[in-house]
């Protein structure tokens, strides 16, 4: 009895280390037992009181609960000569409405929905909207960019298609790409048990209780109001290499296989291994590019394969099956470089620059920073090493080129800005670039000479809506705001791309620490774009 009293006293005063409490008890004479019990009681009361005050001072901590309203000085900030004329489309992450604004920042059209965005949304040529949406009921998956639902909404707001791709085995997240034939490419997690991960060569020490969620690319053909047929699939899990277990079929020297994915790279024990956050399609090449945030890389994959060929190392127009055709940003990911060779830092929105635009065929990337020693963001244009036979060239034993970006905004001190999560960029008709600095809801346009000619701050948000995947203490990780929100499952407070289990800078558990007007991406459309024909009808009416 006496021993337990002493332990209570020292647990309160010296912390929760029982070894420390036991080591101190031998110096306490029994004579002072009654005095110690009184002090212990007072200490416990004081501790509980202080804890209650601390908890109360933090305010609501669960995602979706309202905090004190934040003032945002939103709207148009700059509209100068040289800006590319048109209309800007965006879907704020803390809103159920998507907006179209003119060059003066006035809303000219909007698309309401019953669901906040899963992250991305696109205005199509017929004036309809294809958007991701959140499904909060998934029993397995959680994290930044969680979606699970794809919605097609007409110009007038009619819900044309509502497709759910979310269950205990898989879940759509982050981004989609609408193909010329109307099919939709989507990024999705698939679930692998801890046992399956270890059987594929993953180091057991880097496998957590959630297993591993490698990314897949799914192509869906819409069917009716809610149905969809999966007509093509690419699975990262079919293209692994590892140098840990010689007895497995995928054993090999990582540096000899840049076309494969090292199953132990960026392995940190949580489920969301790759955190792929963007997808873009090139119709001329019939290829797909994706942004793999945790690898600090972009990858290019052949879409001309069948599903069977995509699961192999042969087939398709390039004869490589579903192997990686090109990768760039972090040669260390495939054993051909070190950290000093890194060129991408938690990037988003990797895309080919469209035909007939300045830089056509090059890749445009929002290079977030906020990690690995680089705090600022840039937008980078990369010239890919594609030869006349449409093959991505690479020297034996070397990394994929180029060694630096062709054009960059944000590297000079006078251009510095920072958005450690979400965000994107778009090349415009006149050669300017529209930049979405998503973490602060800032949209701005720069010329080829890096001069800002248009700027707008998103004023639209609902304090009661939590962005996709950032749902309070049990759901926080992924593209969370810097310094933001409560910890993830079993983790520490926000401040990493995955705050729990060893996250990196640039994210957080919930939306609490960031501004509420965050925007995943923004797109500018020329006045004569076919998707804007509804504006003319409204003005004529």
């Amino acid at each position: 009895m006496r021993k337990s009293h002493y332990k209570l006293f020292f647990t309160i005063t010296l912390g929760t280390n029982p070894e420390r409490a036991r080591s101190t008890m031998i110096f306490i004479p029994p004579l002072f037992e009654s005095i110690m019990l009184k002090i212990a009681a007072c200490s416990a009361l004081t501790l509980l009181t202080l804890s209650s005050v601390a908890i109360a001072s933090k305010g609501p901590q669960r995602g979706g609960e309202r905090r004190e309203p934040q003032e945002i000085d939103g709207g148009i900030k700059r509209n100068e000569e040289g800006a590319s004329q048109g209309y800007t489309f965006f879907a704020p992450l803390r809103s159920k409405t998507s907006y179209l604004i003119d060059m003066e920042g006035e809303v000219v059209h909007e698309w309401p929905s019953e669901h906040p965005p899963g992250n991305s949304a696109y205005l199509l040529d017929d004036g309809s909207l294809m958007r991701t949406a959140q499904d909060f009921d998934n029993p397995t998956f959680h994290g930044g960019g969680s979606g699970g639902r794809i919605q097609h909404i007409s110009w007038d707001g009619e819900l044309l298609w509502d497709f759910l791709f979310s269950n205990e085995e898989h879940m759509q997240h982050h981004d989609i790409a609408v193909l010329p034939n109307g099919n939709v490419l989507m990024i999705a997690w698939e679930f692998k048990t801890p046992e399956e991960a270890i059987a594929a060569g993953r180091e057991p020490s880097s496998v957590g209780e959630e297993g591993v969620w490698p990314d897949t690319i799914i192509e869906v053909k819409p069917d009716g109001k809610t149905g969809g047929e999966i007509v093509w699939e690419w699975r990262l899990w079919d293209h692994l290499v590892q140098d840990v277990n010689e007895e497995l079929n995928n054993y090999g020297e990582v540096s000899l296989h840049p076309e494969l994915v090292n199953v132990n790279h960026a392995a940190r024990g949580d489920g969301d291994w790759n955190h792929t956050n963007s997808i873009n399609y090139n119709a001329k090449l019939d290829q797909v590019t994706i942004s793999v945030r945790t690898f600090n890389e972009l990858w290019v994959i052949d879409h001309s394969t069948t599903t069977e060929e995509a699961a192999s190392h042969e087939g398709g127009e390039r004869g490589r099956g579903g192997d990686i055709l090109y990768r760039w940003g972090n040669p260390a990911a495939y054993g051909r470089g070190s950290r000093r060779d890194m060129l991408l830092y938690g990037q988003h929105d990797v895309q080919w620059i469209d035909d007939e635009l300045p830089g056509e065929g090059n890749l445009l990337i929002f290079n977030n920073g906020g990690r690995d020693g680089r705090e600022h963001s840039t937008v980078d244009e990369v010239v890919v090493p594609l030869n006349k036979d449409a093959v991505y060239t690479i020297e034996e034993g070397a990394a994929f080129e180029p060694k630096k970006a062709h054009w960059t905004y944000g590297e000079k001190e006078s251009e510095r800005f920072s958005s450690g999560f979400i965000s994107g960029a778009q090349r415009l008709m006149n050669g300017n670039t529209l930049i979405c600095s998503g973490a602060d809801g800032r949209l701005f346009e720069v010329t080829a000479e890096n001069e800002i000619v248009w700027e707008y701050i998103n004023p639209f948000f609902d304090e009661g809506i939590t962005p996709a995947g950032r749902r309070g203490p049990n759901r926080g990780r992924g593209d969370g705001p810097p310094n933001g929100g409560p910890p993830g499952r079993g983790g520490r407070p926000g401040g990493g791309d995955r705050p729990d289990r060893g996250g990196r800078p640039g994210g957080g558990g919930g939306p609490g620490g960031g501004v509420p007007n965050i925007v995943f991406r923004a797109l500018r459309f020329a006045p004569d774009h076919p998707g804007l024909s509804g504006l003319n009808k409204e003005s004529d009416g």
Side-chain angles (χ1 to χ4, degrees), residues 96 108 140 145 262 309 356 456 489 492 510 517-518 528:
K96 296 179 181 179
V108 297
T140 303
N262 180 2
E309 289 171 336
E356 301 181 2
Y456 174 85
R489 192 177 293 177
R492 59 182 184 269
N517 64 332
I518 57 179
D528 60 352

Side-chain angles (χ1 to χ4, degrees), residues 287-306:
Q287 294 174 6
V288 176
T289 184
I290 57 178
S291 164
V292 189
R293 178 174 168 90
T294 57
F295 277 55
N296 298 304
E297 283 191 299
L298 66 87
W299 298 346
V300 175
I301 298 157
D302 192 356
H303 178 259
S304 70
T305 59
T306 64

Side-chain angles (χ1 to χ4, degrees), residues 58-68 70 94 421 463 465-467 470-473 476 479-487 494-495 507-516 518:
K58 292 181 180 179
Q61 292 296 298
R62 294 196 64 81
E65 294 185 2
R66 292 182 179 272
R67 299 167 174 82
E68 289 298 318
Q70 297 190 43
R94 297 183 71 163
F421 66 110
E463 289 275 5
I465 294 176
T466 303
R470 293 172 286 281
R471 291 174 255 170
D479 278 321
N483 308 315
V515 296
I518 57 179

Side-chain angles (χ1 to χ4, degrees), residues 30-290:
L31 177 64
F32 296 103
E33 178 180 356
S34 60
I35 298 174
M36 290 173 60
L37 288 174
K38 291 179 182 179
I39 296 174
C42 293
S43 300
L45 179 61
T46 301
L47 181 64
L48 290 173
T49 301
L50 290 174
S51 298
S52 298
V53 171
I55 292 171
S57 68
K58 292 181 180 179
Q61 292 296 298
R62 294 196 64 81
E65 294 185 2
R66 292 182 179 272
R67 299 167 174 82
E68 289 298 318
Q70 297 190 43
E71 295 295 328
I72 297 294
D73 183 18
I76 195 72
K77 302 300 176 184
R78 189 179 311 191
N79 184 15
E80 299 177 358
E81 183 178 354
S84 183
Q85 299 301 300
Y87 297 86
T88 304
F89 170 80
F90 61 100
L93 291 185
R94 297 183 71 163
S95 173
K96 296 179 181 179
T97 302
S98 302
Y99 296 93
L100 187 69
I101 61 172
D102 62 18
M103 295 298 292
E104 294 298 329
E106 296 296 323
V107 176
V108 297
H109 195 73
E110 56 187 62
W111 293 261
S113 173
E114 295 181 357
H115 300 273
N119 266 10
S120 66
Y122 295 94
L123 176 64
L124 306 185
D125 287 351
D126 63 356
S128 64
L129 184 69
M130 193 73 79
R131 71 190 295 267
T132 61
Q134 295 183 46
D135 170 44
F136 286 119
D137 297 325
N138 192 286
T140 303
F141 305 100
H142 55 86
S146 299
R149 186 182 297 272
I150 309 296
Q151 294 184 320
H152 188 195
I153 302 173
S154 74
W155 175 271
D156 297 321
E158 179 186 357
L159 183 59
L160 304 174
W161 185 54
D162 190 10
F163 179 71
L164 188 67
F165 194 75
S166 176
N167 60 29
E168 66 276 5
E169 296 296 329
H170 58 246
M171 185 183 196
Q172 180 276 330
H173 65 92
H174 277 94
D175 199 12
I176 57 175
V178 182
L179 302 182
N181 63 2
N183 291 354
V184 179
L185 288 174
M186 66 178 74
I187 307 164
W189 289 306
E190 67 170 341
F191 176 72
K192 297 295 181 183
T193 65
E195 293 75 19
E196 288 176 311
I198 294 171
R202 174 67 73 89
E203 288 271 17
S205 60
S206 63
V207 180
E209 61 183 15
E210 294 180 325
V212 178
W213 313 337
D215 279 319
T216 65
I217 302 173
I218 306 295
E219 180 179 344
V220 178
K221 179 180 179 180
D223 182 14
K225 285 282 188 178
T226 60
E229 177 188 359
I230 297 177
V231 297
W232 183 82
E233 181 176 3
W234 175 88
R235 302 168 66 249
L236 183 155
W237 207 248
D238 293 324
H239 303 278
L240 300 178
V241 64
Q242 52 84 28
D243 56 6
V244 173
N245 190 338
E246 297 183 14
E247 297 181 359
L248 300 179
N249 292 333
N250 61 2
Y251 178 80
E253 187 174 336
V254 173
S255 63
L256 297 180
H257 296 282
E259 78 282 5
L260 301 178
V261 181
N262 180 2
V263 73
N264 288 299
H265 184 76
R268 292 168 295 166
D270 58 347
D272 184 11
W273 172 34
N274 313 118
H275 199 78
T276 302
N277 54 37
S278 77
I279 184 168
N280 184 251
Y281 177 70
N282 186 316
K284 180 183 294 185
L285 298 174
D286 199 8
Q287 294 174 6
V288 176
T289 184
I290 57 178

Side-chain angles (χ1 to χ4, degrees), residues 78 409 415 432 445-454:
R78 189 179 311 191
Y409 177 85
E415 302 168 356
N432 291 357
E445 178 184 344
V446 301
T447 66
E449 293 73 37
N450 293 17
E451 298 294 328
I452 299 177
V453 292
W454 185 86

Side-chain angles (χ1 to χ4, degrees), residues 84 353 358 364-365 379-381 407 409 424-436 444-448 450-451 453-454 524:
S84 183
I353 297 176
L364 194 66
I365 309 153
V379 173
D380 300 333
E381 179 184 346
W407 173 85
Y409 177 85
Q426 177 196 15
R427 180 58 47 83
L428 304 177
M429 285 295 297
N430 65 353
N432 291 357
T433 301
L434 179 67
I435 299 173
C436 171
F444 62 105
E445 178 184 344
V446 301
T447 66
N450 293 17
E451 298 294 328
V453 292
W454 185 86
R524 174 76 54 78

Side-chain angles (χ1 to χ4, degrees), residues 317-336:
E317 292 185 6
R318 303 292 172 259
R320 304 278 296 279
D323 286 347
I324 297 172
L325 300 178
Y326 176 68
R327 61 197 303 175
W328 190 80
N330 183 18
Y334 51 101
R336 296 193 179 184

